[in-house]
Amino acid sequence: MLKVRTLITGMLLCSTFAISTARAQYNRVPESYIDPSTFQIDEQKVLGVKVDKNLALIDESGQPFTLGEKLGKPLILVLSYYTCDGSCSVINADLRDRLEGVTDLKMGKDFEVLTISFDKQDNLEKLGVFKKHLEDTEKLGKGWSFATFKDSEQIKPFADRLGFNYFWSPTDRTFFHPGAFLFLSAEGRLIRVLYSQTVESKDVELAVFDAKQGKFRPNEIINFATSLCYSYNYKEGRYTYNIPLFVAVGSLTFGVTAFSGSVFVFRRRRKEREKKLET
Amino acid sequence: MKLKRFFSVLNGAAMALLFATPAFAAAGDTPDTRADWDELWHEVLVDITVIGVIFIVAAIYMLIRFKATNPEQVGTATRLTTANAIGWALIPAAIFMADDFYLAAKGWTVWDHQRTVPENAMEVKVTGYQWYWEFEYEDGTTTDELKVPVGTPVVLRMTSDDVIHSFGLPYYRLTEDVMPGRITYIWFNPIEEVETLVTCREFCGNSHSEMFTAVEAIAPAEFEKWLAEQG
Amino acid sequence: MSTATTTHDQEAFNLKEWIFTTDHKRIGVMYLIGSMAAFAVAGMMALMMRLEQANIGAQFIETGTDYNEWLYFHGAAMILAFLIPGLTGFAANYFLPLMIGAADVAFPRINAFSIWLFYFAIVLALLSVVVPDTPDIMWTGYPPYAVTTEGNTSFYVFTVHLLGFSSILGAVNFLVTVIYMRAPGMGWNQLNIFVWTTLAAFVLQLVFIPVLAAAVTLLLFDKYLGTHFFDPAAGGDVLLYQNLFWFYSHPAVYVIFLPAVGILFEIIATMAKNQIFNYKVCVYGGIGGVVAIGGEVWIHHLYVTGMPDWLRIGMMISTLLISVPVGLIVMSLWGTLWRAAISYNVAMMYSVAMLYLIMVGGLTGIPLAMTSLTVHLSETSFIHAHFHFIMGLFSTYAVFAAVYYWFPKMTGRMADNGWARISFWLNFIGINVTFWPLFIIGPQGMPRRYWNYEMFPQFEAYHEVATVGAFLTAAGVAIMIINWITSAISGPKAPANPWNSRSLEWTHAPNPPGPGNFPEAVTVADDWTPYDYNK
């Protein structure tokens, strides 16, 4: 079991490298494995796609609900499967760990998390085991739900629409799929895709800010400012500093200082001259 | 400080309004943003024409009436008293501000219509290239002109492959830039059959002025047939 | 006074003395010559563009890039090398020290360095027209186009650097001059309006230019050093450049507009022989208000770029509120005509035309301030006509009016003759014939920056009319410049104070003023103002 887990984690890491600049690592993956681009979502194609709000799902207590009920605020969507004791729990556990580091946002209040299984075989029992295995999601606050599809026929079209490719490998007796966190806006549009194992808490937080689509409340002005300081780097798959902004703020400070400095110096000089004239 | 508080209140009001707008507009009362624009435009034209005529007539009157009769003559306007000076500042400022806020309120209403995408809108993906447009329908069909069925609002999800372009739909009174790495949206409501066009409105190089294509609103049945033929 | 005039007049022309001069008046004249050179070339570009647009399809260009290169040069040169130096270089240099009774500016050598930088920039800008890959990036230089284009973006960046540095030096110099070198007894409320507006313009330059310089520098790095500051694929943000650019360039509109308003006030007050209506409100509410709000409205240049909806609405309100300080300035302009004693010369004719331009240009800004209307008006010929009225033409007329008004001061001769009036009417009719058709076809969908409009055949007649207008204007300008040159050489001698002004440059300095400006040190009384005609 440990072996399978290591293998899958390794594969996930490979997918990471596939999208990162460290492409050299790719050579270590044996030929028989699959094309690493399977682990990628073609953002150019799917960013901005709107999910079906009426998608029927079943929650962990067996109650039916629609995807639309989870929207209205940013939603982090994770597609995985519950019998998976390898990468899926790694992906979900990674998200949990990242979310633990997100201090400026509160799960349930500022955003929701939803893990959905794309495995037709998954049922409530497997879900329960999986959730237990994952531990501690409730510690983060209410707002992380686990669900299965009500109608298994809808799984494939739903995943396809988001550019999420997955398939069953009989030899490995496992699903291959991207280790992706999908950030949806309040209206259910796909705003950002981040990959497990490659991102930090800051990236998750910034992706939630992105998913707010600029709709910050006045008391969130700091968050808005934070979101301006970074911009998403498609090449590296994470957020990087928006350097020109800092350069510009520096230049503006220079301008203001130059102005106030010259006024200050010459006021003082004039006073000195006036003093001299008096004496 | 006061200004800051003013803007935070304003921002709060903006948020309240943004969230208060009904997200689920029924198909029947989908706003016609084209008519909204025309109405607002005419109101603003009347507004600025009235102001302009008042000032220009006043100027012409004074320029003729107060012409000097001999070179030694000087103007006889006297220095304003403090009360008059303040009055001549506050009253015009109040009138200008009142007009500003009136127009802002009007503009805000239309803006909400323009930015609230109806739930039942048909999605089309638009990609700008140097120098042509590409449209992708929900079934994956890609075309080089935009045809839409009459009666269904259309939301365009737009991005660019190279430089910044701008999707200008003069008939529907809309423009929005398309940029690499960013997604922008506009929506419009084709309520009658019409053959019109989209032009690029952001400078994008050599063939900027030839980056246009047809935009047609056609009968739903005809649209279905056309879409099937494209695939 | 008369001896000073003759000795200065009879000095032989010495090119070396002009190049190495530190005299603010000579520097002012050099700014005028340099900026008029840029104006002439940029104006030719405008004529070529209008000819190209006169009919559908290519008239005489080979590719769209030819047209785009003229677009670039016309915009960049008119704004950066003509309007800003024409107003804050020529007019401020020549007249501001005279108006405050100063012998020169605070740092004459730095002033000389500024004009050198300006000339380097002009040469660089003109060179960019003849290099193989002329820049074709508009005057805005938006990435990614400015980075991916074949055109030589570096010419644009270095021109901005040189002019920016020149302007910053000028700004420090003039701020110090006004704060420190006013004639004894001259209080803040006794300054000419032109001094105030120039002061405001230089404050804006000093505070905001570094931001533009930084933005274009990063653009340069992106293009030539392979950085990715504005490349979205590698973490850059395409919209940030636009934000930074307009963060400077919207205030830059006021850097141009305010000194133009100042010149308008000087001429109107003098020719109407009246005091400025509500002086303090005009200065502190009007000019001060424009400076205060001017930095918070730049998003209106980004109304259709997908900025957050609330930001676009917030900036709609702040943009509309610009009408309050501008409205106060307009009230003072109109009020100054009340119970006046107006006499007309060519400068006053240009000033009356400016009252019309500020009204039409200002009011057409109101629909453009409204986000919900701009989503259609954006990038149409309506906005093109609007900013030509309020910024281009208004400020260009200010430069022309200033030259006519102070012509006797600068040359000792009069330029106010029949030719001046003919050229004025050609010019004024020309601009209306050019831009009213554009005001009309803009809301119908005519995009700006198009050399070809085969998709809108119905607009061809309007473009033909507009092209005729452009040539009328050009004829007017040509006659005007010839008239300036001939009048400067052989015009009739001017009286000492031809317009009976009360401002210091007319009452205390000879025509033209010699080195040191004033034969005797100037002091002013407590109750003196430059506008106290009715005393």
Side-chain angles (χ1 to χ4, degrees), chain A residues 214 231 233-235 242 248 251 255 270, chain C residues 179 206 210 214 232-235 244 310:
Chain A
S231 66
N233 190 322
Y234 288 89
K235 218 176 188 167
N242 205 352
S251 313
R270 193 160 69 161
Chain C
I179 295 171
L206 195 52
L244 301 183
W310 61 268

Side-chain angles (χ1 to χ4, degrees), chain B residues 55 63 68 75 100 175 177 200, chain C residues 273 304 323 334 342 344 375 450:
Chain B
F55 272 90
L63 288 169
D100 289 344
T175 316
D177 286 2
C200 181
Chain C
K273 298 286 175 295
V304 297
S323 72
W334 260 248
I342 306 165
Y344 290 91
V375 296
Y450 269 34

Side-chain angles (χ1 to χ4, degrees), chain C residues 214-228:
Chain C
V216 295
T217 306
L218 297 178
L219 194 67
L220 187 76
F221 289 170
D222 265 16
K223 185 161 172 76
Y224 298 102
L225 301 180
T227 55
H228 302 285

Side-chain angles (χ1 to χ4, degrees), chain A residues 143-197:
Chain A
W144 191 333
S145 326
F146 293 84
T148 52
F149 280 87
K150 190 175 179 193
D151 175 5
S152 60
E153 293 297 307
Q154 284 183 328
I155 300 176
K156 187 74 182 157
F158 180 78
D160 281 351
R161 197 171 160 71
L162 292 168
F164 188 93
N165 298 317
Y166 64 96
F167 59 87
W168 174 255
S169 163
T171 47
D172 300 308
R173 297 205 292 131
T174 182
F175 276 105
F176 286 92
H177 64 95
F181 309 141
L182 307 172
F183 291 80
L184 304 185
S185 70
E187 298 84 37
R189 289 191 182 276
L190 180 61
I191 303 301
R192 186 65 67 217
V193 178
L194 294 181
Y195 293 94
S196 170
Q197 308 291 329

Side-chain angles (χ1 to χ4, degrees), chain B residues 1-229:
Chain B
M1 186 59 221
K2 242 182 194 163
L3 200 71
K4 207 170 158 188
R5 196 178 307 145
F6 169 74
F7 271 104
S8 72
V9 169
L10 209 76
N11 191 1
M15 290 301 102
L17 222 129
L18 276 175
F19 287 112
T21 32
F24 296 86
D29 50 51
T30 310
D32 178 5
T33 53
R34 179 175 187 262
D36 285 348
W37 190 94
D38 285 354
E39 196 190 325
L40 183 60
W41 169 244
H42 286 124
E43 276 176 34
V44 173
L45 273 192
V46 170
D47 188 286
I48 62 177
T49 309
V50 168
I51 300 174
V53 167
I54 290 173
F55 272 90
I56 286 178
V57 167
I60 292 172
Y61 170 78
M62 292 190 290
L63 288 169
I64 296 169
R65 167 74 182 74
F66 299 118
K67 215 171 153 179
T69 45
N70 68 69
E72 302 305 315
Q73 198 189 342
V74 293
T76 52
T78 47
R79 208 195 185 95
L80 294 176
T81 61
T82 311
N84 270 339
I86 293 172
W88 274 105
L90 289 187
I91 294 168
I95 294 170
F96 295 139
M97 261 205 226
D99 193 43
D100 289 344
F101 285 119
Y102 169 76
L103 293 175
K106 287 265 179 192
W108 200 333
T109 315
V110 174
W111 179 242
D112 276 337
H113 287 172
Q114 288 165 331
R115 300 309 296 174
T116 311
V117 183
E119 260 321 278
N120 61 341
M122 178 179 99
E123 300 231 6
V124 180
K125 187 187 174 195
V126 177
T127 311
Y129 298 88
Q130 279 174 318
W131 292 271
Y132 61 96
W133 298 103
E134 185 186 86
F135 304 95
E136 187 184 332
Y137 289 85
E138 278 180 279
D139 63 357
T141 309
T142 57
T143 61
D144 58 4
E145 54 181 352
L146 180 63
K147 293 203 185 195
V148 295
V150 166
T152 312
V154 180
V155 58
L156 304 174
R157 168 167 67 91
M158 309 190 294
T159 189
S160 164
D161 191 52
D162 35 52
V163 301
I164 302 173
H165 304 279
S166 191
F167 195 83
L169 276 177
Y171 178 82
Y172 294 105
R173 315 287 191 250
L174 283 173
T175 316
E176 188 91 349
D177 286 2
V178 303
M179 288 161 282
R182 282 173 174 264
I183 313 284
T184 50
Y185 305 91
I186 45 173
W187 79 273
F188 62 94
N189 190 4
I191 50 174
E192 56 186 4
E193 289 188 31
V194 60
E195 202 181 323
T196 165
L197 51 84
V198 50
T199 59
C200 181
R201 289 245 190 113
E202 181 60 83
F203 177 75
C204 60
N206 190 1
S207 300
H208 169 51
S209 47
E210 288 162 312
M211 192 172 161
F212 66 96
T213 189
V215 175
E216 269 183 70
I218 51 180
E222 206 184 319
F223 170 74
E224 294 301 332
K225 203 174 130 223
W226 171 81
L227 194 62
E229 279 168 8

